[in-house]
Amino acid sequence: MDLKQIEYIVKIAETGNITRAAEQLFVTQSALNQQLLKLENALGIKLFYRRKHDLTPTDAGKVYLKYGRQMLIEKREAYNIINDLAQDNLGHLSFTFSRERGLDMFVATYPAFHRQFPGIIVEPHEMRVHNQQLQIAQGYVDLGLVTLSEQQKLADLQYDHIRIWTYQQSRSCPLCSSTRNRPCEASSTGSSGQLRSVPMSFLNQAASAPC
């Protein structure tokens, strides 16, 4: 079904008149009438009853209009979703974090991320660092949050040193080996589009927390 043709038929049904429909579609009356006749000939059945000044849908026309309107709705929804994706307002982010500290990091940072990007669906996975790197290298996940040494890095991945959040003074820093109540430095810059473009984020345990 041609979407432009569907728009023509829906407008004819709404106005009940070729002339008025043509005016609202900004096409000539003869061109619109030709489109209707062409479609009816292709289908082998009339879509409208013709009266002196009005057109009303036949049973076949009602079926065509029902499904044609649904297709137009789906077209608008698809365009809206694509527009949101282009604006970085909607999407899917598959995210991995390491065991133990990773869960605390995710729980602490996700609420702020969700407030800024409510349309981004985050799919978290907890796994060991080595498995994280393999999953990212193979394209199964988009982003990883890890603590690892230089020797553990894989050559074909990009690593960024990041600082995640500020903990309240009443809680111990999850990035430090000690339990002193000294918070990490906060950083929340970067768009969701930038996040998705980074295969892995790198947390160096010794340097990330100035504790």
Side-chain angles (χ1 to χ4, degrees), residues 92-200:
H92 179 273
L93 184 67
S94 183
F95 176 84
T96 68
F97 50 82
S98 56
R99 296 171 185 244
E100 299 176 356
R101 295 172 181 160
L103 182 58
D104 287 337
M105 296 175 186
F106 177 73
V107 170
T109 56
Y110 178 73
F113 178 87
H114 182 67
R115 284 193 298 271
Q116 187 170 357
F117 305 104
I120 302 290
I121 299 173
V122 177
E123 182 183 347
H125 301 276
E126 183 181 15
M127 60 184 71
R128 297 185 184 279
V129 172
H130 179 68
N131 291 337
Q132 281 184 272
Q133 295 183 94
L134 292 179
Q135 290 284 305
I136 293 170
Q138 294 168 8
Y140 293 120
V141 295
D142 303 307
L143 184 73
L145 184 62
V146 298
T147 302
L148 78 174
S149 66
E150 289 291 332
Q151 291 73 26
Q152 291 177 291
K153 292 183 180 181
L154 299 183
D156 55 347
L157 292 181
Q158 176 184 339
Y159 296 82
D160 286 339
H161 182 124
I162 61 173
R163 292 173 177 175
I164 302 300
W165 72 91
T166 300
Y167 247 39
Q168 295 179 357
Q169 292 285 348
S170 61
R171 300 188 63 177
S172 63
C173 175
L175 302 182
C176 301
S177 56
S178 69
T179 57
R180 291 175 298 166
N181 295 333
R182 299 181 63 183
C184 299
E185 186 175 335
S187 174
S188 60
T189 59
S191 68
S192 61
Q194 291 171 324
L195 282 175
R196 285 197 297 271
S197 68
V198 179
M200 175 170 283

Side-chain angles (χ1 to χ4, degrees), residues 43-90:
L43 295 174
I45 192 170
K46 295 294 183 183
L47 297 179
F48 291 93
Y49 295 113
R50 274 88 165 165
R51 295 186 175 86
K52 188 173 182 179
H53 297 292
D54 298 308
L55 283 81
T56 56
T58 61
D59 288 341
K62 291 175 182 177
V63 172
Y64 184 95
L65 289 165
K66 175 184 176 180
Y67 291 98
R69 287 187 174 111
Q70 290 179 5
M71 291 180 69
L72 292 178
I73 291 172
E74 291 178 356
K75 173 191 172 184
R76 286 194 294 271
E77 290 178 349
Y79 275 50
N80 288 336
I81 292 172
I82 291 171
N83 181 66
D84 285 338
L85 288 171
Q87 302 289 330
D88 283 331
N89 293 328
L90 192 66

Side-chain angles (χ1 to χ4, degrees), residues 8 11-12 15 17-26 32:
Y8 288 167
K11 185 59 67 175
I12 292 172
T15 60
N17 184 279
I18 289 285
T19 302
R20 289 193 296 271
E23 289 174 352
Q24 295 182 22
L25 292 167
F26 301 103
L32 183 58

